[in-house]
């Protein structure tokens, strides 16, 4: 049901707003790192964001990763994480997590994965150019689909400026 997916997306977006407000970029937003916790007696639950193993603390003086090294899960990684020029590496920022969030939300709503069955090399090729059609699939709200399309733009500057912007749009 779209309503339940949107509620889970709101909660995940809220967690990312909190994380980003503390100058942390998760860098590996994907279904395996999101847990739905049910309340007692199957009351509505809540979403938890897990596994900050490759997260980047923007305030840290010491780099734990090497420039030019991609971290995260290929299927959900933003293109700039995969294809950044090692000499002019795009730093991890909110747009990195916004892309992964949008890609994951698309899968939650449609149950489809545009990269399903592909080998890693083929995934990389598709990630260079792939953007979702702006026409919402049948049964999916067009405004929600437009948000997904914006979150997953190849150009990070064309994505929402912050997770707060994403959350605000989910709450309307």
């Amino acid at each position: 049901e779209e309503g339940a997916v949107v509620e889970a997306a709101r909660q995940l977006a809220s967690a990312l707003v909190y994380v980003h407000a503390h100058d942390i970029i998760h860098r590996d937003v994907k279904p395996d790192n999101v847990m739905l916790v049910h309340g007692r007696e199957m009351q509505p639950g809540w979403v938890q964001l897990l596994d900050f193993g490759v997260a980047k603390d923007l305030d840290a003086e010491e780099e734990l990763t090497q420039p030019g090294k991609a971290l995260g899960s290929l299927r959900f990684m933003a293109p700039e994480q995969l294809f950044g020029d090692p000499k002019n590496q795009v730093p991890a920022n909110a747009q990195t997590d916004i892309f992964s969030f949008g890609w994951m939300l698309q899968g939650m709503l449609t149950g489809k994965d545009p990269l399903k069955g592909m080998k890693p090399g083929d995934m990389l090729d598709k990630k260079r150019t792939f953007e979702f059609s702006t026409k919402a699939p049948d049964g999916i709200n067009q405004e929600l689909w437009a948000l997904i399309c914006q979150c997953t733009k190849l150009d990070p500057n064309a994505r929402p400026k912050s997770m707060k912007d994403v959350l605000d749009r989910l709450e309307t």
Side-chain angles (χ1 to χ4, degrees), residues 36-144:
L36 179 61
V37 179
H38 289 283
R40 293 177 186 228
E41 299 175 16
M42 297 306 290
Q43 293 173 357
W46 63 93
V47 171
Q48 290 184 336
L49 180 61
L50 308 172
D51 192 356
F52 286 77
V54 297
K56 179 169 181 62
D57 181 347
L58 299 177
D59 294 331
E61 293 180 22
E62 187 176 317
E63 280 291 328
L64 298 177
T65 59
Q66 297 174 343
K69 298 290 182 185
L71 290 176
S73 299
L74 176 59
R75 186 171 307 288
F76 296 94
M77 287 175 76
E80 64 271 18
Q81 286 177 283
L82 295 167
F83 308 117
D85 177 358
K87 295 177 186 168
N88 187 21
Q89 186 69 23
V90 176
N93 59 30
Q95 279 64 43
T96 306
D97 285 347
I98 289 170
F99 180 92
S100 301
F101 172 87
W103 193 273
M104 190 175 115
L105 181 55
Q106 175 280 144
M108 290 167 60
L109 281 171
T110 66
K112 296 180 181 171
D113 176 2
L115 304 177
K116 184 176 182 171
M118 290 187 175
K119 295 178 182 172
D122 295 333
M123 279 189 209
L124 285 171
D125 289 343
K126 190 160 188 170
K127 281 265 185 151
R128 286 185 191 279
T129 59
F130 181 81
E131 289 189 338
F132 293 103
S133 166
T134 56
K135 183 183 180 309
D138 291 340
I140 296 178
N141 175 288
Q142 184 61 49
E143 288 180 34
L144 181 58

